[in-house]
Amino acid sequence: MSARKDTGLGFSTRMSHHGRAGAKEHGFVNPPIHRGSTVLFPDCESRKNSAKQRYEQVLTYGTAGGPTHHMLEDMVAEIEGGTRALIVGTGLAACMVPLFAYLKAGDHCLVPDSVYGPVRNLADGLMKSFGIETTYYDPMVDEAGMAALIRPNTKVVYTESPGSHTFELQDIPAIASAARAAGAKVLMDNTWGFHTFQPFAHGVDVSIQALTKYAGGHSDVLLGSVTVNNPEDWQIVKGASSQLGQFASPDDCWLCLRGLRTLPVRLRQQAENGLQVARWLETQPEVLRLLHPALPSHPQHALFQRDFSGTCSLFGLVLQPRYSDADAETVVDALRLFGIGASWGGYESLALPTAPSISRTVTNPKDFGGPIIRLHIGLEDPEDLIADLTQALGRLPR
Ligand SMILES: *Cc1c(COP(=O)(O)O)cnc(C)c1O
């Protein structure tokens, strides 16, 4: 949780102190929200010069971002260990921008079978119609397996670890090593790992975040970010984002900055609550197993220990094989303290039967042994959540 960087300051300290550059003006703790489209210049020469400084944060026009965006960019780049972050309107936009930035007609893209569903829709939809071919791969592929999948026209290896809904971990350094040897860019959706997985230290070129999740933290904001680690990648990603007309509201950036101040303490508590609930679930007779990378029972726990410095509170629960997907719905419907809905990372607990959201073409969700329920554990007292799960599991046929 408190990985230290060159500054020597811990994670919580940095989340308190960074990204407040605009705050000093009037003595308030927090910076104001800067809204704006037109940026005025004293003369034509200074306007021309502003357009040339592309890697630095300069004000040119509202769509290129203002001071509120810049403060959030700094915070996200800091958390991810990259040099520069781009803020876009949603997590899905953050997935889309680098895909279109690095791929063109005739190129090939490798996407893990456990990818966030809407990215699969994009790959099978617009990307395909624009002449970009996608091959789905087993997320647990090793270096040699990845090398064998790469073709001469493979320009992007997309990764997401752990995978959406099924929580397979990916060996990112091994995959990145194969991709880099072939000159392909490694993109990673690092939403689950946010501050606990350092993408650039593991060979990733571009890191994607749905800031909608723990960063916003209160289920009231949609935002995404794309973080890079050098000026060349910045030019490519920023160029695509501009062409695609991407923008995020400064009000939402401000809300996200506010969320980040309490991120360390929220995540620490939610991770702990989540583990408490997961460990209890593991002992219940209705449960076959948990899909939680931080539990020693996860088949890739060693990889988790090698690469992650901590966990979050989103995981899966597999019911015994004698139960059906309809039984999983019975359990979810019976829960009183868990909301039924998409997204995660807020302060409130959520539950979803996974079957309707799952789409796989090279691996088999039946391999998990039974119906899966995805749980997001919030800041409620874990004893209350356990009591709620007890009564809900009690509704299952004996
Ligand atoms: C939620 C999510 C996204 C998309 O975020 P939105 O802001 O809802 O568009 C992308 N990737 C992962 C892993 C997610 O969980």
Side-chain angles (χ1 to χ4, degrees):
M1 280 276 174
S2 57
R4 277 158 200 284
K5 301 221 321 181
D6 312 349
T7 52
L9 297 170
F11 180 58
S12 302
T13 309
R14 286 185 276 123
M15 290 305 97
S16 271
H17 286 262
H18 278 239
R20 275 163 47 184
K24 296 182 189 79
E25 293 167 45
H26 299 286
F28 282 132
V29 170
N30 289 300
I33 303 176
H34 286 281
R35 304 181 56 83
S37 53
T38 300
V39 174
L40 299 175
F41 293 89
D43 49 45
C44 294
E45 189 60 24
S46 39
R47 180 162 180 263
K48 273 188 280 179
N49 288 339
S50 84
K52 287 180 202 142
Q53 302 161 279
R54 303 201 50 140
Y55 195 50
E56 294 87 52
Q57 293 168 324
V58 287
L59 299 179
T60 51
Y61 179 56
T63 53
T68 314
H69 300 91
H70 294 162
M71 283 181 271
L72 181 57
E73 287 170 9
D74 288 348
M75 289 285 271
V76 171
E78 169 74 22
I79 295 169
E80 296 232 272
T83 54
R84 191 85 158 79
L86 174 78
I87 306 299
V88 292
T90 63
L92 183 55
C95 302
M96 177 212 35
V97 164
L99 283 168
F100 279 119
Y102 292 103
L103 291 164
K104 61 179 188 319
D107 286 347
H108 176 240
C109 176
L110 284 161
V111 172
D113 207 27
S114 52
V115 73
Y116 174 67
V119 171
R120 182 184 286 270
N121 297 342
L122 174 63
D124 295 347
L126 279 178
M127 281 167 58
K128 188 175 178 196
S129 71
F130 289 170
I132 299 160
E133 191 188 350
T134 297
T135 302
Y136 294 97
Y137 66 90
D138 182 338
M140 293 187 283
V141 69
D142 62 12
E143 184 164 353
M146 176 49 67
L149 287 165
I150 293 174
R151 303 178 190 167
N153 63 339
T154 305
K155 295 289 154 56
V156 164
V157 175
Y158 193 91
T159 62
E160 178 186 332
S161 180
S164 276
H165 295 293
T166 42
F167 302 92
E168 301 96 329
L169 287 178
Q170 296 203 259
D171 189 340
I172 300 293
I175 291 170
S177 161
R180 282 168 171 241
K185 286 283 172 187
V186 183
L187 274 46
M188 179 178 188
D189 183 332
N190 188 34
T191 302
W192 193 93
F194 198 25
H195 72 303
T196 60
F197 182 88
Q198 290 285 294
F200 301 103
H202 290 89
V204 170
D205 294 296
V206 179
S207 182
I208 294 157
Q209 281 295 333
L211 298 174
T212 305
K213 308 294 162 57
Y214 288 105
H218 297 73
S219 306
D220 54 6
V221 63
L222 286 154
L223 272 182
S225 63
V226 185
T227 306
V228 295
N229 208 21
N230 59 60
E232 295 72 37
D233 283 317
W234 171 257
Q235 299 286 2
I236 293 168
V237 167
K238 175 72 183 166
S241 169
S242 302
Q243 288 177 49
L244 291 164
Q246 285 299 315
F247 181 66
S249 151
D251 302 67
D252 290 340
C253 293
W254 190 89
L255 273 176
C256 188
L257 274 167
R258 181 175 155 132
L260 285 174
R261 304 292 170 208
T262 56
L263 177 81
V265 66
R266 279 189 288 112
L267 265 177
R268 202 178 305 135
Q269 191 63 50
Q270 286 182 248
E272 201 180 302
N273 292 0
L275 279 170
Q276 191 176 330
V277 171
R279 287 196 192 104
W280 174 83
L281 279 167
E282 233 175 0
T283 66
Q284 300 309 299
E286 298 86 357
V287 175
L288 177 68
R289 62 191 186 101
L290 272 289
L291 305 175
H292 193 322
L295 290 179
S297 58
H298 191 280
Q300 295 163 290
H301 184 62
L303 205 55
F304 172 79
Q305 285 183 305
R306 186 192 74 185
D307 292 348
F308 288 76
S309 64
T311 184
C312 70
S313 67
L314 183 82
F315 58 88
L317 150 68
V318 186
L319 293 174
Q320 294 285 1
R322 65 176 177 278
Y323 297 119
S324 64
D325 288 337
D327 289 331
E329 287 188 13
T330 301
V331 172
V332 170
D333 281 339
L335 289 165
R336 299 182 189 120
L337 296 175
F338 290 76
I340 304 173
S343 204
W344 44 278
Y347 56 85
E348 80 292 3
S349 290
L350 297 170
L352 269 188
T354 298
S357 325
I358 217 168
S359 167
R360 299 284 185 270
T361 45
V362 294
T363 56
N364 184 358
K366 295 266 178 287
D367 292 346
F368 291 89
I372 309 174
I373 295 172
R374 189 182 76 174
L375 293 180
H376 170 259
I377 303 300
L379 289 167
E380 300 92 341
D381 292 298
E383 298 74 21
D384 292 335
L385 298 177
I386 288 172
D388 195 22
L389 285 159
T390 305
Q391 64 80 23
L393 289 172
R395 306 284 180 97
L396 285 169
R398 295 290 109 189

